[in-house]
Amino acid sequence: MSGRAQLMWDEAVTGYDFGPGHPMDPVRLALTRRLVSAFGLDREMEVVGAKPAGESTLRLVHREDYIEAVKAASADPRAADGAYGIGTLDDPAFAGMHEVSSLIAGLSVGAAEAVWRGDALHAVNFAGGLHHAMPGGAAGFCIYNDASLAIARLLELGAERVAYVDVDVHHGDGVQAAFWEDPRVLTISLHEHPRTLFPQTGWPEETGGGVGEGSAVNVALPAGTGDAGWLRAFHAVVPELIADFRPQVLVTQHGADTHFEDPLAHLAVSLDAQRAVQMVCHGLAHEYAEGRWVALGGGGYAVTDVVPRSWTHLVGIAAGREIAPETVIPEGWRQEVFARTRELGPVRMTDGRWPVSFRGWEDGYDPADRLDQAVLAVRRAVFPLRGLLA
């Protein structure tokens, strides 16, 4: 095991572009990469590219007819078949969509391979985390499900236990669906309640099927949940399940759209709380998975103020060079933000809420509190299936 962290990157990922006005603006990727460089983090880790995922790899998760539909729309966007979720308002067809989607998937698969084979202890692909894509269709701004493909590749290489933790504001439905009946994969999603947010799945009662019953975990949080509640829920569920499962690899998805500035959702989480969870995930990888950690990006639509800072913190943690929250952001990066977006960039790597605090579950709960009700629901649904006390 080299112990060296890898940053998966290819400038071509900025071609994942659904067009003007679409919330998933690829400037978020470019600005994250520039901020990583501005802090010198790319000198603390190996920056690595990867080949686009080939068809045999894509078929580990996706149906052949869907892959062919993506390729057809990629060659001629006018040929997009809405039956596959392509050419919709969420997922408009664009020229080259197969190629760039395959590249993002290839980077996540490459990250998984590097970690499993010992070429790196940690690997980050912040262009990845496209967790809504289903085996037979696009959904929620996601064409190919790179997170599922990375996990499937780990299983193909011989992994027997892979844990997936998803803290995007939206339910990690595509990853859950891919491994619904597979006890080798534990999927945990912490998200806004499906009553109030796409994709309207991720209820606590969704616990996996067949021999995989108990391997899907859904923490559905009430709209308006802030730092203290978000961290309380995470700590009340995730560490205990990871300790019980003892994965050989930890794969995490760090969508930044839980933030209070995000325009597409209704949680009220700060950058500082996001950083806190990133640090916990890093610690869980070391405690239970011999350090093997694949960290992915995900959603996030406050593309200048939030996403680059959140994912740069993630890269810094993986590189072993955490950025202190009070750190002033280099002026050169802020100038680039203005040149690209005509917006003023943030000044510091914090929202001013560090250190974040929360009340631990072990201190008791209030059955009348909506947040505690959400935690109780998932513990009662899943923990007994895994032989744990609810």
Side-chain angles (χ1 to χ4, degrees):
M1 179 75 70
S2 71
R4 186 166 170 79
Q6 288 188 356
L7 174 63
M8 311 303 295
W9 178 253
D10 187 315
E11 197 73 29
V13 299
T14 59
Y16 193 82
D17 188 354
F18 290 112
H22 193 282
M24 188 173 268
D25 189 333
V27 74
R28 70 196 194 124
L29 302 179
L31 289 176
T32 300
R33 180 66 182 89
R34 301 303 180 270
L35 189 55
V36 165
S37 181
F39 279 116
L41 298 176
D42 49 0
R43 297 192 293 273
E44 305 289 334
M45 59 202 310
E46 189 178 6
V47 180
V48 181
K51 293 180 179 179
E55 289 196 33
S56 62
T57 299
L58 293 174
R59 287 199 298 268
L60 292 174
V61 169
H62 294 291
R63 295 200 321 250
E64 187 171 0
D65 60 318
Y66 172 57
I67 297 168
E68 291 303 315
V70 175
K71 289 168 68 176
S74 183
D76 180 5
R78 295 170 300 180
D81 187 345
Y84 291 100
I86 311 167
T88 62
L89 189 63
D90 275 0
D91 298 277
F94 62 92
M97 67 188 304
H98 167 73
E99 290 75 12
V100 69
S101 300
S102 298
L103 175 60
I104 292 171
L107 291 168
S108 292
V109 169
E113 291 174 342
V115 167
W116 182 252
R117 290 171 175 163
D119 298 332
L121 196 58
H122 310 325
V124 181
N125 177 23
F126 58 75
L130 304 178
H131 60 170
H132 293 308
M134 292 291 179
F141 314 161
C142 305
I143 306 301
Y144 294 140
N145 195 317
D146 64 286
S148 293
L149 288 163
I151 295 168
R153 179 60 175 146
L154 287 167
L155 298 177
E156 187 177 51
L157 290 170
E160 297 175 349
R161 295 181 311 282
V162 180
Y164 172 75
V165 177
D166 187 321
V167 295
D168 194 289
V169 78
H170 302 92
H171 176 224
D173 55 341
V175 184
Q176 175 179 284
F179 304 104
W180 182 250
E181 296 185 351
D182 194 333
R184 297 173 297 172
V185 181
L186 175 68
T187 64
I188 307 174
S189 180
L190 189 82
H191 49 265
E192 184 178 331
H193 202 284
R195 283 197 189 96
T196 55
L197 194 66
F198 174 91
Q200 283 77 51
T201 58
W203 297 78
E205 295 77 18
E206 297 172 30
T207 57
V211 295
E213 188 179 16
S215 64
V217 183
N218 288 290
V219 188
L221 302 174
T225 298
D227 288 358
W230 194 63
L231 292 172
R232 175 171 166 80
F234 181 94
H235 282 272
V237 175
V238 178
E240 189 172 352
L241 289 172
I242 296 297
D244 171 68
F245 188 64
R246 296 197 169 264
Q248 294 163 294
V249 185
L250 178 63
V251 180
T252 57
Q253 196 268 21
H254 297 272
D257 43 8
T258 52
H259 196 272
F260 55 76
E261 287 186 18
D262 197 272
L264 298 189
H266 318 99
L267 296 191
V269 174
S270 72
L271 177 73
D272 300 294
Q274 291 177 347
R275 178 180 182 270
V277 161
Q278 294 166 5
M279 293 174 67
V280 174
C281 288
H282 176 239
L284 290 172
H286 278 283
E287 188 169 0
Y288 299 111
E290 298 183 350
R292 298 186 192 95
W293 184 31
V294 176
L296 308 174
Y301 310 101
V303 298
T304 58
D305 191 55
V306 177
V307 174
R309 293 190 296 160
S310 185
W311 292 348
T312 298
H313 273 306
L314 179 65
V315 171
I317 291 164
R321 218 195 87 187
E322 297 173 8
I323 299 173
E326 67 273 11
T327 302
V328 175
I329 292 173
E331 180 60 27
W333 182 82
R334 298 183 71 244
Q335 290 175 359
E336 181 164 1
V337 169
F338 187 77
R340 285 175 175 266
T341 68
R342 289 296 183 261
E343 296 179 14
L344 296 176
V347 175
R348 296 183 184 273
M349 292 293 287
T350 180
D351 286 335
R353 298 187 182 183
W354 189 267
V356 289
S357 61
F358 65 96
R359 189 167 62 91
W361 192 250
E362 63 277 5
D363 294 333
Y365 60 87
D366 178 0
D369 180 83
R370 289 202 306 152
L371 186 283
D372 286 3
Q373 289 170 359
V375 173
L376 281 169
V378 67
R379 288 180 65 98
R380 288 169 176 168
V382 174
F383 277 45
L385 296 175
R386 304 202 64 85
L388 302 172
L389 293 175

